[in-house]
Amino acid sequence: DAGSSAEEMEFNWDEYLEDTGATAAPHGSFKHVDTSLQNGFAPGMKLEVAVKSDQNTYWVATIITTCGQLLLLRYDGYGEDRKADFWCDILTADLHPIGWCEQNKKILKVPEGIKDKIPDQEEFLQRVLKGACSAPANLLEGLHRGKNPLDLIAPGSRLELQNIRDSLEAWIVNVVENVGGRLKLRYEGLEDSDKFDQWLFYLDPFLHQVGWAAQHGYSLQPPSAIRSLRSEADWQEILKKVKEEEEESSVPTDLFKDKPVIEVHSFSEGMKLEAVDPMAPFVISPATVLKVYNDKYFMIEIDDLRAERATSQRYVCHVNSAGIFPVQWSLKNGLHLSPPPGYPGQDFDWADYLKQCGAEAAPQSCFPSLTSDHGFKENMKLEAVNPVDPEEVCIATVTKLKDSYLWLQLEGSKKPVPECIVSVESMNIFPVGWCETNGYQLRPPRKAIVNKQKKIAVVQPEKQILSSRTVHDGLKNQELNSSDSVVINGKYCCPKIYFNHRCFSGPYLNKGRIAELPQSVGPGNCVLVLKEVLTLLINAAYKPSRVLRELQLDEEAAWHGHGETLKAKYKGKSYRATVEVVRTADRVADFCRKTCIKLECCPNLFGPQMVLDKCSENCSVLTKTKYTHYYGKRKNKRIGRPPGGHSNLEVAMKKPNKRRKRRKHFFVHKKKRSSTSVDNTPAGSPQGSGAEEEDDQDESELSHSLAQDRDKRKRKLRTFSFSDDENKPPSPKDIKMEVAEKLQLDSNPLEWSVADVVRFLKSTDCAPLARIFLDQEIDGQALLLLTLPTVQECMDLKLGPAIKLCHHIERVKLAFYQQFAN
């Protein structure tokens, strides 16, 4: 067996991928999982939302993106301006479909922030609502409000299941368990026995809502395998009971709207083809169309020439059924075709066989075209159902690919299983981390790889200063839990992350490699999805090691997320660093934007919003020089702890002509860097395309240099930064006067949130400046770093107001050192 239960509990995908040198199959390749995460809302839908500043009024908003029970909204009138986007929880926010205000005599009123942009409210509403799609009323009101549609398939729900083994008849099944849309089903009438239980994904073409059989002219009959277990009278009594309880156990019809549509087929009885038995998908065999039921369904049988055969392998198919191929498909793809049992000799020949059987091959036109555009590659890892024991979900490795089909080697199954042949659209395969996210036991490899304490040459931050922030204005004074992990309804919480290939890629990322990235990654577990995105970006860099260094977690920065170890390879060397990623959906958009700015590319290069035609940042019209100016330098004038850590403010004050000594990539300490420093040569440009020309410096020298930096920073914090009208340092007399105005603090300013800083400023005569601090997200740590030159430059303040502001900042600094800086 697969080792002890302790080892199973501790299996870690990250460690396993690192030890095997493999990569995870991209999340976007599992379309059925993607569909299962949709909540019924879609970007572009409109709804009426209470305006927070005045709860008695409402305004029209558009859905920007969705994530579980969270919606990212933007009031109509803001256009492409995303600054006012806000998250809403469907369960708690005051949300309604279009037209609700008119029906309920509520007031639609333009929010204050865009009042000047909308002179005529009635004309504006007529224009924006013409042809608009309203958010579904049943998802905003009533029992289903805020629920993921998938959660409506609860244990005890009833469905109808077609019997694919011997007829088109259907029978009632009860949902025993729902694991992320994968349903454990039990036939009605067998409540006390699990012998005939089946596992199917809810989008399976043969699974339907109750009433489907009657609507389509099929009879409700228990399968032959269980029919003898009860009398005919018993089965009829069971059917009567089901009809009486239909309303309370039924599943909403629109839940199945995303099921694949079954097209008309053109197969005829007696045609030959190649097929894989879905119950034992290990070999490709000759098969025959045994029966055609109608224009949608037909039955095939795996050929068996033995006279003494007791049973046959037959099953119902439709034109899009996986595992059916035209004659000679195996030969054309260099695959082995298993001869029918009883066939004389091992060298099977289709021409002879067709002649011998007096049959014709199904023409190519009967089969759908196969695609190779799916994202899977050899040696990728994923999670897959064991066809022999569907209770098991195992680690799987892609060993071979042909058109739309994968050959998977399962690891850790209780009994060894041959390589399985599955379609890339199979609903029995899942992305890495799916079991963990849905609370289902993944079968680990036989020699389970457990969490190991590995030595990583990166200094971790000594202190993790954690804070939580509200998700923007739409949560009605409720604070989203941003602690360890937010999983909406037990499901994935990270939306799709799109790579917007048209956006400017900046100096670090190779435009050609960016163009080769997939259209999107996710949705999925926040940490796993963002880790995959960052890995793709690192690999798309001119110098992967350089990008890894830019992303590396600063040991002195406040830690608001989750540290993940990422790797980069460059010129035969491997580099490793700890990178911070966020854990919760509400912070994903901000994380992506800030990471883009850190890499000096367009803030929309990747994120949960797809750029369809024109980027809102208008990045295409800027030259590389201008672009680096806007996104590399100017953006870092934001004071709220810019990317790269607190030391950026200090580095920004250095003389621009002083050359910075370059260091080798040890990844022992975070390089203290600011994009305002001189070394902004884009990697891959003529100046930066050579080898890493960095002076060797041992670890003791690095530590000594960092110690000096820290001492300088401490001395800088202890220096008063305001001055008189001549912009000269204040006299000792002035300083004494300021010191006399003592400030008594109730809490350590290092731990102040942005809201705490704003609250303090509003208590002073600099209250009008509080809005700037709120917009730039200046918390207590950033406040203590502010100096007069920084305030003037970044806030565009005149000398008088800047001095007045710095006066209060110095009072806070002084109180900090007297009360808390021991």
Side-chain angles (χ1 to χ4, degrees), residues 534-605:
L534 294 180
T535 300
L536 289 170
L537 287 173
I538 290 168
N539 293 335
Y542 290 106
K543 298 180 181 179
S545 56
R546 177 69 182 273
V547 168
L548 182 60
R549 186 171 64 185
E550 298 302 317
L551 298 174
Q552 182 179 348
L553 183 66
D554 193 313
E555 70 266 25
E556 295 177 3
W559 216 14
H560 294 288
H562 177 74
E564 280 291 317
T565 301
L566 295 183
K567 296 180 294 183
K569 289 187 177 180
Y570 182 65
K571 295 201 171 182
K573 294 181 181 178
S574 293
Y575 301 86
R576 185 183 300 174
T578 302
V579 174
E580 181 186 17
V581 294
V582 296
R583 299 170 181 263
T584 60
D586 57 289
R587 299 175 62 200
V588 167
D590 186 55
F591 171 83
C592 293
R593 189 171 180 86
K594 286 181 177 177
T595 303
C596 286
I597 292 171
K598 191 182 288 188
L599 296 179
E600 299 180 21
C601 55
C602 174
N604 291 335
L605 181 66

Side-chain angles (χ1 to χ4, degrees), residues 63-273:
I63 298 174
I64 303 301
T65 191
T66 69
C67 186
Q69 69 192 47
L70 298 179
L71 302 178
L72 183 63
L73 303 177
R74 182 183 303 163
Y75 284 124
D76 281 14
Y78 276 97
E80 295 297 319
D81 186 359
R82 53 198 290 178
K83 289 177 186 172
D85 291 2
F86 58 96
W87 287 94
C88 273
D89 187 328
I90 304 165
L91 287 175
T92 59
D94 196 357
L95 309 173
H96 303 280
I98 296 297
W100 180 88
C101 285
E102 186 179 352
Q103 293 169 10
N104 293 274
K105 308 226 175 338
K106 298 290 183 181
I107 302 170
L108 275 173
K109 184 179 177 183
V110 183
E112 288 295 328
I114 49 174
K115 214 168 187 177
D116 58 335
K117 297 182 179 179
I118 305 174
D120 186 337
Q121 176 177 312
E122 293 301 320
E123 185 275 333
F124 176 80
L125 286 175
Q126 282 183 0
R127 179 161 45 85
V128 298
L129 294 179
K130 186 178 180 181
C133 176
S134 173
N138 66 313
L139 297 179
L140 291 170
E141 301 161 351
L143 294 174
H144 297 164
R145 178 181 179 183
K147 286 190 176 180
N148 186 317
L150 188 58
D151 294 329
L152 302 177
I153 311 180
S157 299
R158 288 191 176 109
L159 298 165
E160 289 181 3
L161 175 63
Q162 288 177 255
N163 178 11
I164 70 166
R165 270 305 183 187
D166 56 13
S167 73
L168 266 188
E169 294 170 341
W171 186 241
I172 312 295
V173 287
N174 274 292
V175 177
V176 178
E177 196 175 349
N178 179 354
V179 181
R182 188 167 182 256
L183 309 178
K184 186 176 185 180
L185 305 170
R186 184 168 298 167
Y187 284 119
E188 188 74 40
L190 301 184
E191 287 76 13
D192 300 327
S193 172
D194 61 359
K195 182 179 178 183
F196 297 95
D197 286 1
Q198 298 182 53
W199 283 91
L200 288 176
F201 203 73
Y202 81 104
L203 295 172
D204 190 285
F206 290 96
L207 194 60
H208 312 278
Q209 71 272 19
V210 172
W212 176 89
Q215 290 172 11
H216 293 82
Y218 301 112
S219 62
L220 277 176
Q221 292 287 342
S224 56
I226 66 170
R227 198 170 297 172
S228 61
L229 300 178
R230 290 182 178 268
S231 67
E232 187 60 33
D234 287 342
W235 291 119
Q236 291 304 316
E237 190 63 31
I238 289 169
L239 200 53
K240 182 181 176 184
K241 177 190 169 189
V242 168
K243 289 181 179 177
E244 290 172 356
E245 300 174 356
E246 183 174 333
E247 192 169 324
E248 56 191 74
S249 64
S250 64
V251 172
T253 306
D254 60 355
L255 190 64
F256 299 96
K257 63 182 174 55
D258 295 314
K259 278 177 55 173
V261 177
I262 296 178
E263 304 291 346
V264 174
H265 73 79
S266 54
F267 286 94
S268 302
E269 287 184 13
M271 283 182 174
K272 294 286 185 182
L273 65 158

Side-chain angles (χ1 to χ4, degrees), residues 458-473:
V458 179
V459 175
Q460 300 286 354
E462 293 180 6
K463 297 180 181 178
Q464 295 183 9
I465 305 169
L466 300 175
S467 64
S468 60
R469 294 178 51 209
T470 52
V471 180
H472 296 294
D473 298 335

Side-chain angles (χ1 to χ4, degrees), residues 8 48 62 76 94 127 153 290 297 303 343 390 466 549 638 669 693 705 725 756 794:
E8 291 183 10
E48 294 173 355
T62 301
D76 281 14
D94 196 357
R127 179 161 45 85
I153 311 180
L290 192 65
Y297 299 103
D303 287 0
Y343 182 81
L466 300 175
R549 186 171 64 185
R638 279 181 69 89
H669 296 286
E693 299 170 358
S705 172
D725 287 341
D756 293 330
C794 297

